[in-house]
PDB file of all heavy atoms in Angstrom:
ATOM      1  N   LEU A   1      84.922  99.612 103.945  1.00  0.00           N
ATOM      2  CA  LEU A   1      85.358 100.892 103.597  1.00  0.00           C
ATOM      3  C   LEU A   1      85.292 101.949 104.709  1.00  0.00           C
ATOM      4  O   LEU A   1      84.346 101.905 105.474  1.00  0.00           O
ATOM      5  CB  LEU A   1      84.359 101.433 102.497  1.00  0.00           C
ATOM      6  CG  LEU A   1      84.463 102.742 101.969  1.00  0.00           C
ATOM      7  CD1 LEU A   1      85.754 103.033 101.148  1.00  0.00           C
ATOM      8  CD2 LEU A   1      83.246 103.229 101.084  1.00  0.00           C
ATOM      9  N   VAL A   2      86.362 102.727 104.748  1.00  0.00           N
ATOM     10  CA  VAL A   2      86.370 103.631 105.921  1.00  0.00           C
ATOM     11  C   VAL A   2      86.558 105.179 105.122  1.00  0.00           C
ATOM     12  O   VAL A   2      87.437 105.343 104.375  1.00  0.00           O
ATOM     13  CB  VAL A   2      87.430 103.452 106.820  1.00  0.00           C
ATOM     14  CG1 VAL A   2      87.242 104.448 108.002  1.00  0.00           C
ATOM     15  CG2 VAL A   2      87.398 102.109 107.451  1.00  0.00           C
ATOM     16  N   ILE A   3      85.630 106.040 105.520  1.00  0.00           N
ATOM     17  CA  ILE A   3      85.735 107.387 104.965  1.00  0.00           C
ATOM     18  C   ILE A   3      86.064 108.361 106.111  1.00  0.00           C
ATOM     19  O   ILE A   3      85.432 108.334 107.293  1.00  0.00           O
ATOM     20  CB  ILE A   3      84.407 107.836 104.410  1.00  0.00           C
ATOM     21  CG1 ILE A   3      83.919 106.960 103.183  1.00  0.00           C
ATOM     22  CG2 ILE A   3      84.452 109.357 104.024  1.00  0.00           C
ATOM     23  CD1 ILE A   3      82.482 107.280 102.665  1.00  0.00           C
ATOM     24  N   PHE A   4      87.063 109.109 105.969  1.00  0.00           N
ATOM     25  CA  PHE A   4      87.397 110.016 106.942  1.00  0.00           C
ATOM     26  C   PHE A   4      87.108 111.473 106.557  1.00  0.00           C
ATOM     27  O   PHE A   4      87.631 111.825 105.511  1.00  0.00           O
ATOM     28  CB  PHE A   4      89.004 110.040 107.409  1.00  0.00           C
ATOM     29  CG  PHE A   4      89.483 108.698 107.901  1.00  0.00           C
ATOM     30  CD1 PHE A   4      89.849 107.602 107.130  1.00  0.00           C
ATOM     31  CD2 PHE A   4      89.308 108.469 109.268  1.00  0.00           C
ATOM     32  CE1 PHE A   4      90.234 106.451 107.756  1.00  0.00           C
ATOM     33  CE2 PHE A   4      89.651 107.322 109.848  1.00  0.00           C
ATOM     34  CZ  PHE A   4      90.217 106.197 108.967  1.00  0.00           C
ATOM     35  N   GLN A   5      86.167 112.105 107.139  1.00  0.00           N
ATOM     36  CA  GLN A   5      85.677 113.408 106.746  1.00  0.00           C
ATOM     37  C   GLN A   5      86.096 114.473 107.770  1.00  0.00           C
ATOM     38  O   GLN A   5      85.619 114.362 108.875  1.00  0.00           O
ATOM     39  CB  GLN A   5      84.084 113.380 106.779  1.00  0.00           C
ATOM     40  CG  GLN A   5      83.432 114.623 106.368  1.00  0.00           C
ATOM     41  CD  GLN A   5      83.819 115.010 104.920  1.00  0.00           C
ATOM     42  OE1 GLN A   5      83.432 114.178 103.944  1.00  0.00           O
ATOM     43  NE2 GLN A   5      84.295 116.178 104.580  1.00  0.00           N
ATOM     44  N   PHE A   6      86.991 115.484 107.242  1.00  0.00           N
ATOM     45  CA  PHE A   6      87.420 116.371 108.096  1.00  0.00           C
ATOM     46  C   PHE A   6      87.941 117.591 107.454  1.00  0.00           C
ATOM     47  O   PHE A   6      88.158 117.553 106.167  1.00  0.00           O
ATOM     48  CB  PHE A   6      88.578 115.875 108.894  1.00  0.00           C
ATOM     49  CG  PHE A   6      89.679 115.364 108.127  1.00  0.00           C
ATOM     50  CD1 PHE A   6      90.816 116.225 108.088  1.00  0.00           C
ATOM     51  CD2 PHE A   6      89.775 114.103 107.633  1.00  0.00           C
ATOM     52  CE1 PHE A   6      91.977 115.773 107.236  1.00  0.00           C
ATOM     53  CE2 PHE A   6      90.828 113.660 106.899  1.00  0.00           C
ATOM     54  CZ  PHE A   6      91.944 114.443 106.654  1.00  0.00           C
ATOM     55  N   PRO A   7      88.046 118.781 108.169  1.00  0.00           N
ATOM     56  CA  PRO A   7      88.661 119.922 107.553  1.00  0.00           C
ATOM     57  C   PRO A   7      90.189 119.857 107.736  1.00  0.00           C
ATOM     58  O   PRO A   7      90.571 119.496 108.790  1.00  0.00           O
ATOM     59  CB  PRO A   7      88.112 121.072 108.496  1.00  0.00           C
ATOM     60  CG  PRO A   7      87.724 120.486 109.728  1.00  0.00           C
ATOM     61  CD  PRO A   7      87.399 119.063 109.379  1.00  0.00           C
ATOM     62  N   LEU A   8      90.923 120.347 106.754  1.00  0.00           N
ATOM     63  CA  LEU A   8      92.391 120.283 106.946  1.00  0.00           C
ATOM     64  C   LEU A   8      92.681 121.469 107.941  1.00  0.00           C
ATOM     65  O   LEU A   8      92.423 122.527 107.772  1.00  0.00           O
ATOM     66  CB  LEU A   8      93.023 120.634 105.582  1.00  0.00           C
ATOM     67  CG  LEU A   8      94.606 120.438 105.509  1.00  0.00           C
ATOM     68  CD1 LEU A   8      94.920 118.989 105.582  1.00  0.00           C
ATOM     69  CD2 LEU A   8      95.121 121.097 104.276  1.00  0.00           C
ATOM     70  N   GLN A   9      93.420 120.942 108.965  1.00  0.00           N
ATOM     71  CA  GLN A   9      93.872 122.060 109.974  1.00  0.00           C
ATOM     72  C   GLN A   9      95.372 122.009 110.074  1.00  0.00           C
ATOM     73  O   GLN A   9      95.975 120.905 110.482  1.00  0.00           O
ATOM     74  CB  GLN A   9      93.001 121.717 111.398  1.00  0.00           C
ATOM     75  CG  GLN A   9      91.685 121.959 111.237  1.00  0.00           C
ATOM     76  CD  GLN A   9      90.850 121.760 112.430  1.00  0.00           C
ATOM     77  OE1 GLN A   9      91.310 121.138 113.343  1.00  0.00           O
ATOM     78  NE2 GLN A   9      89.562 122.294 112.473  1.00  0.00           N
ATOM     79  N   TRP A  10      96.051 123.117 110.062  1.00  0.00           N
ATOM     80  CA  TRP A  10      97.451 123.173 110.214  1.00  0.00           C
ATOM     81  C   TRP A  10      98.118 122.028 109.343  1.00  0.00           C
ATOM     82  O   TRP A  10      99.084 121.450 109.838  1.00  0.00           O
ATOM     83  CB  TRP A  10      97.847 123.261 111.629  1.00  0.00           C
ATOM     84  CG  TRP A  10      97.343 124.247 112.386  1.00  0.00           C
ATOM     85  CD1 TRP A  10      96.496 124.369 113.296  1.00  0.00           C
ATOM     86  CD2 TRP A  10      97.889 125.690 112.188  1.00  0.00           C
ATOM     87  NE1 TRP A  10      96.289 125.642 113.766  1.00  0.00           N
ATOM     88  CE2 TRP A  10      97.104 126.588 113.039  1.00  0.00           C
ATOM     89  CE3 TRP A  10      98.868 126.290 111.409  1.00  0.00           C
ATOM     90  CZ2 TRP A  10      97.333 127.902 113.199  1.00  0.00           C
ATOM     91  CZ3 TRP A  10      99.027 127.674 111.314  1.00  0.00           C
ATOM     92  CH2 TRP A  10      98.176 128.523 112.340  1.00  0.00           C
ATOM     93  N   PHE A  11      97.621 121.920 108.017  1.00  0.00           N
ATOM     94  CA  PHE A  11      98.273 120.871 107.177  1.00  0.00           C
ATOM     95  C   PHE A  11      98.142 119.510 107.675  1.00  0.00           C
ATOM     96  O   PHE A  11      98.892 118.628 107.303  1.00  0.00           O
ATOM     97  CB  PHE A  11      99.811 121.150 106.767  1.00  0.00           C
ATOM     98  CG  PHE A  11      99.890 122.373 105.879  1.00  0.00           C
ATOM     99  CD1 PHE A  11      98.972 123.293 105.710  1.00  0.00           C
ATOM    100  CD2 PHE A  11     101.126 122.610 105.250  1.00  0.00           C
ATOM    101  CE1 PHE A  11      99.145 124.519 104.977  1.00  0.00           C
ATOM    102  CE2 PHE A  11     101.415 123.791 104.538  1.00  0.00           C
ATOM    103  CZ  PHE A  11     100.443 124.762 104.276  1.00  0.00           C
ATOM    104  N   GLY A  12      97.221 119.150 108.378  1.00  0.00           N
ATOM    105  CA  GLY A  12      96.927 117.770 108.984  1.00  0.00           C
ATOM    106  C   GLY A  12      95.572 117.647 109.293  1.00  0.00           C
ATOM    107  O   GLY A  12      94.619 118.325 108.948  1.00  0.00           O
ATOM    108  N   THR A  13      95.336 116.594 110.154  1.00  0.00           N
ATOM    109  CA  THR A  13      93.997 116.305 110.653  1.00  0.00           C
ATOM    110  C   THR A  13      93.582 117.125 111.968  1.00  0.00           C
ATOM    111  O   THR A  13      94.593 117.486 112.651  1.00  0.00           O
ATOM    112  CB  THR A  13      93.901 114.775 111.011  1.00  0.00           C
ATOM    113  OG1 THR A  13      94.769 114.475 112.116  1.00  0.00           O
ATOM    114  CG2 THR A  13      94.225 113.913 109.896  1.00  0.00           C
ATOM    115  N   PRO A  14      92.452 117.423 112.141  1.00  0.00           N
ATOM    116  CA  PRO A  14      92.123 118.007 113.512  1.00  0.00           C
ATOM    117  C   PRO A  14      92.570 117.069 114.625  1.00  0.00           C
ATOM    118  O   PRO A  14      92.679 115.911 114.510  1.00  0.00           O
ATOM    119  CB  PRO A  14      90.465 117.917 113.530  1.00  0.00           C
ATOM    120  CG  PRO A  14      90.138 117.860 112.038  1.00  0.00           C
ATOM    121  CD  PRO A  14      91.244 117.064 111.311  1.00  0.00           C
ATOM    122  N   ALA A  15      92.843 117.650 115.789  1.00  0.00           N
ATOM    123  CA  ALA A  15      93.479 116.817 116.942  1.00  0.00           C
ATOM    124  C   ALA A  15      92.585 115.679 117.312  1.00  0.00           C
ATOM    125  O   ALA A  15      93.127 114.702 117.697  1.00  0.00           O
ATOM    126  CB  ALA A  15      93.685 117.854 118.096  1.00  0.00           C
ATOM    127  N   ILE A  16      91.331 115.900 117.166  1.00  0.00           N
ATOM    128  CA  ILE A  16      90.448 114.810 117.661  1.00  0.00           C
ATOM    129  C   ILE A  16      90.540 113.595 116.812  1.00  0.00           C
ATOM    130  O   ILE A  16      90.398 112.362 117.280  1.00  0.00           O
ATOM    131  CB  ILE A  16      88.949 115.284 117.775  1.00  0.00           C
ATOM    132  CG1 ILE A  16      88.138 114.286 118.738  1.00  0.00           C
ATOM    133  CG2 ILE A  16      88.368 115.396 116.395  1.00  0.00           C
ATOM    134  CD1 ILE A  16      86.739 114.931 119.111  1.00  0.00           C
ATOM    135  N   LEU A  17      90.741 113.766 115.465  1.00  0.00           N
ATOM    136  CA  LEU A  17      91.008 112.739 114.716  1.00  0.00           C
ATOM    137  C   LEU A  17      92.418 112.132 114.799  1.00  0.00           C
ATOM    138  O   LEU A  17      92.624 110.800 114.676  1.00  0.00           O
ATOM    139  CB  LEU A  17      90.762 113.047 113.156  1.00  0.00           C
ATOM    140  CG  LEU A  17      90.948 112.030 112.086  1.00  0.00           C
ATOM    141  CD1 LEU A  17      90.077 110.803 112.437  1.00  0.00           C
ATOM    142  CD2 LEU A  17      90.613 112.509 110.741  1.00  0.00           C
ATOM    143  N   LYS A  18      93.474 112.903 114.967  1.00  0.00           N
ATOM    144  CA  LYS A  18      94.727 112.465 115.223  1.00  0.00           C
ATOM    145  C   LYS A  18      94.777 111.539 116.544  1.00  0.00           C
ATOM    146  O   LYS A  18      95.414 110.562 116.482  1.00  0.00           O
ATOM    147  CB  LYS A  18      95.714 113.545 115.393  1.00  0.00           C
ATOM    148  CG  LYS A  18      97.140 113.292 115.617  1.00  0.00           C
ATOM    149  CD  LYS A  18      97.818 112.522 114.460  1.00  0.00           C
ATOM    150  CE  LYS A  18      99.340 112.513 114.534  1.00  0.00           C
ATOM    151  NZ  LYS A  18      99.955 112.051 115.615  1.00  0.00           N
ATOM    152  N   GLY A  19      94.041 112.036 117.495  1.00  0.00           N
ATOM    153  CA  GLY A  19      93.805 111.252 118.651  1.00  0.00           C
ATOM    154  C   GLY A  19      93.224 109.802 118.523  1.00  0.00           C
ATOM    155  O   GLY A  19      93.529 108.827 119.038  1.00  0.00           O
ATOM    156  N   TRP A  20      92.130 109.849 117.522  1.00  0.00           N
ATOM    157  CA  TRP A  20      91.539 108.695 117.200  1.00  0.00           C
ATOM    158  C   TRP A  20      92.487 107.615 116.554  1.00  0.00           C
ATOM    159  O   TRP A  20      92.478 106.533 117.000  1.00  0.00           O
ATOM    160  CB  TRP A  20      90.355 108.996 116.237  1.00  0.00           C
ATOM    161  CG  TRP A  20      89.358 107.821 115.984  1.00  0.00           C
ATOM    162  CD1 TRP A  20      88.331 107.506 116.582  1.00  0.00           C
ATOM    163  CD2 TRP A  20      89.671 106.832 114.810  1.00  0.00           C
ATOM    164  NE1 TRP A  20      87.646 106.295 115.941  1.00  0.00           N
ATOM    165  CE2 TRP A  20      88.594 105.880 115.020  1.00  0.00           C
ATOM    166  CE3 TRP A  20      90.593 106.612 113.968  1.00  0.00           C
ATOM    167  CZ2 TRP A  20      88.333 104.892 113.981  1.00  0.00           C
ATOM    168  CZ3 TRP A  20      90.484 105.612 113.002  1.00  0.00           C
ATOM    169  CH2 TRP A  20      89.242 104.720 113.142  1.00  0.00           C
ATOM    170  N   PHE A  21      93.352 108.178 115.645  1.00  0.00           N
ATOM    171  CA  PHE A  21      94.424 107.303 115.014  1.00  0.00           C
ATOM    172  C   PHE A  21      95.230 106.807 116.177  1.00  0.00           C
ATOM    173  O   PHE A  21      95.571 105.535 116.174  1.00  0.00           O
ATOM    174  CB  PHE A  21      95.114 108.123 114.052  1.00  0.00           C
ATOM    175  CG  PHE A  21      94.477 108.332 112.843  1.00  0.00           C
ATOM    176  CD1 PHE A  21      94.717 109.760 112.149  1.00  0.00           C
ATOM    177  CD2 PHE A  21      93.668 107.404 112.188  1.00  0.00           C
ATOM    178  CE1 PHE A  21      94.060 109.936 110.989  1.00  0.00           C
ATOM    179  CE2 PHE A  21      92.936 107.772 110.911  1.00  0.00           C
ATOM    180  CZ  PHE A  21      93.250 109.075 110.405  1.00  0.00           C
ATOM    181  N   GLU A  22      95.731 107.581 117.069  1.00  0.00           N
ATOM    182  CA  GLU A  22      96.727 107.287 118.103  1.00  0.00           C
ATOM    183  C   GLU A  22      96.109 106.201 119.119  1.00  0.00           C
ATOM    184  O   GLU A  22      96.940 105.295 119.542  1.00  0.00           O
ATOM    185  CB  GLU A  22      97.179 108.373 118.907  1.00  0.00           C
ATOM    186  CG  GLU A  22      98.055 109.374 117.902  1.00  0.00           C
ATOM    187  CD  GLU A  22      98.646 110.664 118.710  1.00  0.00           C
ATOM    188  OE1 GLU A  22      98.275 110.666 119.885  1.00  0.00           O
ATOM    189  OE2 GLU A  22      99.341 111.343 117.976  1.00  0.00           O
ATOM    190  N   ARG A  23      94.904 106.405 119.386  1.00  0.00           N
ATOM    191  CA  ARG A  23      94.325 105.475 120.422  1.00  0.00           C
ATOM    192  C   ARG A  23      93.664 104.204 119.878  1.00  0.00           C
ATOM    193  O   ARG A  23      93.771 103.174 120.538  1.00  0.00           O
ATOM    194  CB  ARG A  23      93.248 106.136 121.392  1.00  0.00           C
ATOM    195  CG  ARG A  23      93.858 107.404 122.058  1.00  0.00           C
ATOM    196  CD  ARG A  23      92.711 107.982 122.913  1.00  0.00           C
ATOM    197  NE  ARG A  23      92.188 107.116 123.889  1.00  0.00           N
ATOM    198  CZ  ARG A  23      90.947 106.916 124.295  1.00  0.00           C
ATOM    199  NH1 ARG A  23      90.058 107.440 123.617  1.00  0.00           N
ATOM    200  NH2 ARG A  23      90.657 106.010 125.260  1.00  0.00           N
ATOM    201  N   VAL A  24      93.156 104.197 118.734  1.00  0.00           N
ATOM    202  CA  VAL A  24      92.455 103.141 118.090  1.00  0.00           C
ATOM    203  C   VAL A  24      93.392 102.213 117.362  1.00  0.00           C
ATOM    204  O   VAL A  24      93.160 100.890 117.386  1.00  0.00           O
ATOM    205  CB  VAL A  24      91.321 103.685 117.176  1.00  0.00           C
ATOM    206  CG1 VAL A  24      90.570 102.386 116.467  1.00  0.00           C
ATOM    207  CG2 VAL A  24      90.307 104.354 117.955  1.00  0.00           C
ATOM    208  N   LEU A  25      94.379 102.818 116.680  1.00  0.00           N
ATOM    209  CA  LEU A  25      95.304 101.921 115.801  1.00  0.00           C
ATOM    210  C   LEU A  25      96.534 101.404 116.585  1.00  0.00           C
ATOM    211  O   LEU A  25      97.560 101.628 116.390  1.00  0.00           O
ATOM    212  CB  LEU A  25      95.730 102.822 114.595  1.00  0.00           C
ATOM    213  CG  LEU A  25      94.745 103.450 113.682  1.00  0.00           C
ATOM    214  CD1 LEU A  25      95.352 104.154 112.555  1.00  0.00           C
ATOM    215  CD2 LEU A  25      93.828 102.250 113.079  1.00  0.00           C
ATOM    216  N   ILE A  26      96.038 100.484 117.520  1.00  0.00           N
ATOM    217  CA  ILE A  26      97.156 100.043 118.498  1.00  0.00           C
ATOM    218  C   ILE A  26      97.920  98.977 117.653  1.00  0.00           C
ATOM    219  O   ILE A  26      97.403  98.220 116.806  1.00  0.00           O
ATOM    220  CB  ILE A  26      96.279  99.383 119.603  1.00  0.00           C
ATOM    221  CG1 ILE A  26      95.459 100.412 120.469  1.00  0.00           C
ATOM    222  CG2 ILE A  26      97.196  98.618 120.565  1.00  0.00           C
ATOM    223  CD1 ILE A  26      96.317 101.323 121.307  1.00  0.00           C
TER     224      ILE A  26
END
């Protein structure tokens, strides 16, 4: 199970989480 905990920012994820998706989900 993976829980993503974050505040909605500009109708999306915070930049640091977006970057986690981009770098980790290769």
Side-chain angles (χ1 to χ4, degrees):
L1 171 71
V2 185
I3 298 171
F4 296 95
Q5 180 67 57
F6 62 94
L8 191 71
Q9 294 182 348
W10 296 110
F11 287 17
T13 62
I16 199 167
L17 178 55
K18 182 64 163 57
W20 187 93
F21 287 141
E22 291 180 358
R23 294 184 71 226
V24 176
L25 301 181
I26 297 289

